[in-house]
Amino acid sequence: MATASASSFISLLLISSLLLASFTEAQKPPVAKGLSWTFYDQSCPKLESIVRKQIQNALKKDIGLAAGLIRIHFHDCFVQGCDGSVLLEGSTSEQNARPNLSLRKEALKFVDDLRARVHKECGRVVSCADILALAARDSVALSGGPNYDLPLGRRDSKTFATVVNLPSPFSNTTVILNDFREKTFNARETVALSGGHTVGLAHCPAFTNRLYPKQDPTLDKTFANNLKKTCPTSDSNNTTVFDIRSPNVFDNKYYVDLMNRQGLLTSDQDLYTDKRTRSIVTSFAVDQSLFFQEFANSMIKMSQLSVLTGKQGEIRAKCSVKNSNNLASVVEDVVEEAWSGII
Ligand SMILES: *[C@@H]1O[C@H](CO)[C@@H](O)[C@H](O)[C@H]1NC(C)=O
Ligand SMILES: *[C@@H]1O[C@H](CO)[C@@H](O)[C@H](O)[C@H]1NC(C)=O
Ligand SMILES: *[C@@H]1O[C@H](CO)[C@@H](O)[C@H](O)[C@H]1NC(C)=O
Ligand SMILES: *[C@@H]1O[C@H](CO)[C@@H](O)[C@H](O)[C@H]1NC(C)=O
């Protein structure tokens, strides 16, 4: 009797792990040409464990870093492609672009410190763009969100965009849907990506348009009064959390906020006001695992926007400077070439 139930338990386990395997296999989203799920398996097998460990340590000290890294990755991908261009010094228009929510100096420095550790272990084989994508992925997972695989093999750009068109916090749903459609995202994917606002902070000027001179009628009154205390003037330098229910946890509470008219930005709250996206918001508010699944798939898709691969771009020796502006890396390149000529 006991043996029978034990063996049926084991076969149940086997069946469910088989199901799980085929499920995750079937769910794997398309991979851009030149990227792969196993890109660094030979050249830098410890890459993912190094990144995971460093993010873990860093978030213990400053949980706010998670939102910063997610935001920087998003800006990187949305502006020119996921090519590390946002990390370049002098790409001030990218770094200073509105909403400048958490493009914080520390987060940018953190990415380069991470790069230094990775390069120390493996040599200069991993791009800053890949490190940033992994850092954002781990920030999501380690603050409570979904854990997903990322295809790797991105290369770093030698240029950055001078014109920056990020979605504006003041936009309504029509404009937001258009901005994201231009990047091939449908309405569900757009609403899922907006769920990144379940962590992090916004500065007053990103939402005081809803307080002054006239209060936005889609704003809950008590919530609005508290925001006015934090932002007594429209240009106050104060910040406040995006998600009042669980500001530092990656969960689906942001959508619950929207349903309670406690969304911070016009572009967030309007997703619930607008009939086209309202039911999507509700579906995520009532089902966290649905949100996690769609968020993960949308992030994997976003992380492959206009990537550089193969011989395009370069592997930066320092994330904030392209190699031709970095004397040490030029010398390194010459030496590498000399050696490869000899060998
Ligand atoms: C944006 O952030 C950067 C880096 O923290 C800062 O130097 C810059 O002044 C900020 N820009 C605006 C417009 O807030
Ligand atoms: C959305 O914003 C655009 C640009 O400001 C405006 O032209 C349009 O009328 C707005 N749509 C709605 C439904 O409010
Ligand atoms: C910042 O917020 C606090 C309340 O949280 C408020 O007392 C203070 O006046 C605000 N400061 C500025 C410069 O807006
Ligand atoms: C916000 O900070 C900037 C620079 O730190 C300062 O010049 C400005 O006066 C501040 N604004 C307010 C409203 O306190």
Side-chain angles (χ1 to χ4, degrees), residues 257-273:
D257 298 337
L258 299 189
M259 291 183 73
N260 287 284
R261 310 203 303 173
Q262 294 160 327
L264 198 54
L265 309 180
T266 300
S267 57
D268 293 337
Q269 191 59 56
D270 202 49
L271 295 173
Y272 188 67
T273 309

Side-chain angles (χ1 to χ4, degrees), residues 278-334:
R278 180 175 213 153
S279 64
I280 309 172
V281 169
T282 308
S283 71
F284 293 154
V286 300
D287 186 347
Q288 179 163 280
S289 54
L290 181 71
F291 163 54
F292 278 6
Q293 192 186 322
E294 297 195 24
F295 179 80
N297 284 336
S298 302
M299 283 295 278
I300 296 166
K301 177 171 170 179
M302 187 192 80
S303 80
Q304 303 186 69
L305 287 176
S306 306
V307 288
L308 302 174
T309 60
K311 289 188 163 26
Q312 298 170 317
E314 63 187 9
I315 306 293
R316 277 184 218 142
K318 190 168 190 289
C319 291
S320 56
V321 240
K322 61 178 177 169
N323 290 344
S324 57
N325 288 353
N326 179 348
L327 195 57
S329 82
V330 173
V331 174
E332 231 181 86
D333 281 337
V334 171

Side-chain angles (χ1 to χ4, degrees), residues 10 18 23 29 49 60 108 116 127 135 150 158 161 213 246 253 255 306 313 330:
I10 287 168
L18 278 177
F23 177 74
S49 61
K60 267 185 217 146
L108 293 170
S127 66
L150 270 187
K158 297 179 184 176
S246 52
K253 294 292 194 296
Y255 299 103
S306 306
V330 173

Side-chain angles (χ1 to χ4, degrees), residues 170-175 270 274 276:
F170 312 123
S171 291
N172 60 29
T173 298
T174 301
V175 175
D270 202 49
D274 194 297
R276 289 167 295 177

Side-chain angles (χ1 to χ4, degrees), residues 199-244:
V199 290
L201 302 169
H203 287 99
C204 295
F207 57 85
T208 44
N209 64 307
R210 307 182 65 206
L211 302 172
Y212 313 115
K214 192 167 131 286
Q215 196 164 309
D216 180 340
T218 65
L219 203 48
D220 172 77
K221 290 213 165 58
T222 310
F223 181 62
N225 286 336
N226 288 333
L227 292 180
K228 283 179 176 164
K229 282 180 202 143
T230 306
C231 313
T233 59
S234 59
D235 60 347
S236 156
N237 284 330
N238 275 346
T239 58
T240 195
V241 297
F242 270 112
D243 169 13
I244 51 166

Side-chain angles (χ1 to χ4, degrees), residues 92 94-106 108 203 237:
T92 43
E94 279 197 50
Q95 289 183 14
N96 291 332
R98 200 189 59 208
N100 193 12
L101 308 176
S102 302
L103 283 187
R104 300 176 314 170
K105 267 210 184 84
E106 312 97 85
L108 293 170
H203 287 99
N237 284 330

